[in-house]
Amino acid sequence: MAGRIAALAAVSSAGAQDYPTPAVRIIVPFPAGGSADVVPRIVAEWLSRKWGQPVVIENRPGAAGNIGAELAYKAEPDGYTLLSAPPPPLVINQNLYPRLNFDPTQFEKIAVLARIPNALVVTPTFPAKTVAETIAYAKANPGKINSATQGNGSTSHLTSEMFQMIAGVQFQQVPYTGTAPALNDLVAGSVEMMFDNLGVSLALVNGDKLRLLAVASRKRMASLPNVPTFAETLPGFESEAFYSVVAPPKTPAAIVNKINADINEALRQSELAPRFATLSAETVGGTPKETADYMRAEVERWNKVIKAANVKLQ
């Protein structure tokens, strides 16, 4: 153990010039196929080329991201195991679960890769065509509309709770273990609607498998000018999912800064822009400090929703 610490110290003092030498593992605590999986894969492929080493995505879903997050948290702080996650295990679950086996505040924050606005998608046969019609239909059928979520505590879940609170309606929540299985059932008609980010669901909308009623961005998206925002019906309604990279606690600052610099370089690559655009993703980047500040603000924002809507784990 002493040798390991000495080696980490040496890497840190040397500025991490030789990092990485073996392969880097990025744990994604949600299933393959959703935006939480696709976004880091785009960056991982580019980093692999730059570093000349494999950058492997390892999906470890379960417990709203807690299983994968705990695995990354307890990994050696040497930069060879990272966590790429959306909000739940980093800024939401600490306010929902009575106990976690990791402290999300202690992760070394590296960068936010991208943000994607949440949206309301429904089956083609769903009777409502607008947000206002959805509210009216829900009020006429309290507790009867099946609304899929990415899982308890996900931004999908909390966006649905926020909508119900503001609109004064009640849905029957159906939690899944991630975006992909939820969308599969939505397309199959097993559930009627879902508050999801546009990363994966937009392709299903374009393929006429689902209908898109509204986006939760502050203003209409340039790529979807004919799709209204929720705020046009419910003023102030905004919701987005972010996708970040963090490292285990006590990872040397030199390694954190090296990864941060290379991720920012990746996000500037014009060759990657179309892939992010396909996901309706806005790239972010920034410094580790800016990332930490952003996540602290997100903790406060979602905690307000949890308290105001009295959200409890089911």
Side-chain angles (χ1 to χ4, degrees):
M1 183 64 180
R4 186 74 169 183
I5 293 174
L8 288 176
V11 169
S12 180
S13 62
Q17 298 98 327
D18 296 330
Y19 173 88
T21 46
V24 175
R25 174 177 65 156
I26 300 180
I27 294 174
V28 172
F30 288 91
S35 301
D37 172 73
V38 177
V39 169
R41 284 186 189 275
I42 295 173
V43 176
E45 290 171 10
W46 189 89
L47 290 176
S48 182
R49 294 195 298 271
K50 177 177 177 62
W51 290 342
Q53 299 290 347
V55 180
V56 180
I57 299 294
E58 182 176 317
N59 299 93
R60 290 296 189 97
N66 290 339
I67 291 174
E70 180 184 351
L71 184 65
Y73 185 85
K74 295 179 177 178
E76 290 287 347
D78 54 10
Y80 290 96
T81 296
L82 306 174
L83 175 71
S84 180
L90 295 176
V91 303
I92 292 174
N93 292 351
Q94 61 262 55
N95 292 316
L96 276 178
Y97 285 76
R99 179 178 177 275
L100 297 176
N101 293 324
F102 63 96
D103 182 353
T105 67
Q106 295 304 304
F107 277 113
E108 302 296 341
K109 313 306 188 292
I110 297 177
V112 174
L113 304 178
R115 291 188 292 247
I116 302 178
N118 284 305
L120 176 57
V121 288
V122 300
T123 62
T125 58
F126 188 68
K129 301 295 191 292
T130 66
V131 171
E133 289 180 8
T134 299
I135 294 171
Y137 180 66
K139 286 184 175 180
N141 297 275
K144 294 182 180 180
I145 300 174
N146 293 320
S147 178
T149 75
Q150 300 156 345
N152 289 326
S154 63
T155 54
S156 171
H157 174 206
L158 296 184
T159 302
S160 179
E161 293 286 358
M162 183 166 60
F163 182 91
Q164 293 173 82
M165 177 182 66
I166 295 174
V169 298
Q170 182 182 0
F171 302 139
Q172 179 63 47
Q173 302 277 44
V174 183
Y176 289 81
T177 57
T179 298
L183 287 175
N184 286 340
D185 271 10
L186 183 61
V187 170
S190 300
V191 289
E192 297 171 88
M193 62 188 294
M194 182 177 179
F195 291 84
D196 185 34
N197 66 74
L198 287 172
V200 176
S201 58
L202 185 58
L204 297 171
V205 171
N206 291 336
D208 296 326
K209 301 291 186 182
L210 298 174
R211 284 192 290 114
L212 173 60
L213 300 192
V215 294
S217 50
R218 182 169 300 178
K219 58 183 180 180
R220 291 197 181 197
M221 299 175 62
S223 58
L224 298 168
N226 296 323
V227 179
T229 65
F230 283 93
E232 291 172 39
T233 304
L234 301 172
F237 191 102
E238 293 179 37
S239 175
E240 63 184 9
F242 70 81
Y243 306 91
S244 62
V245 175
V246 299
K250 303 189 187 317
T251 299
I255 292 179
V256 169
N257 291 334
K258 160 72 173 171
I259 300 170
N260 171 269
D262 290 344
I263 285 176
N264 276 289
E265 184 179 351
L267 297 178
R268 292 193 296 268
Q269 299 304 306
S270 58
E271 68 189 84
L272 301 186
R275 298 180 67 183
F276 285 115
T278 299
L279 298 171
S280 301
E282 172 196 9
T283 56
V284 181
T287 66
K289 182 182 183 304
E290 289 170 339
T291 302
D293 291 344
Y294 175 80
M295 288 191 188
R296 277 193 292 271
E298 286 291 287
V299 170
E300 295 178 7
R301 185 165 78 92
W302 287 116
N303 191 34
K304 289 179 181 177
V305 173
I306 290 168
K307 289 182 177 178
N310 194 28
V311 177
K312 304 292 184 184
L313 290 179
Q314 298 178 1

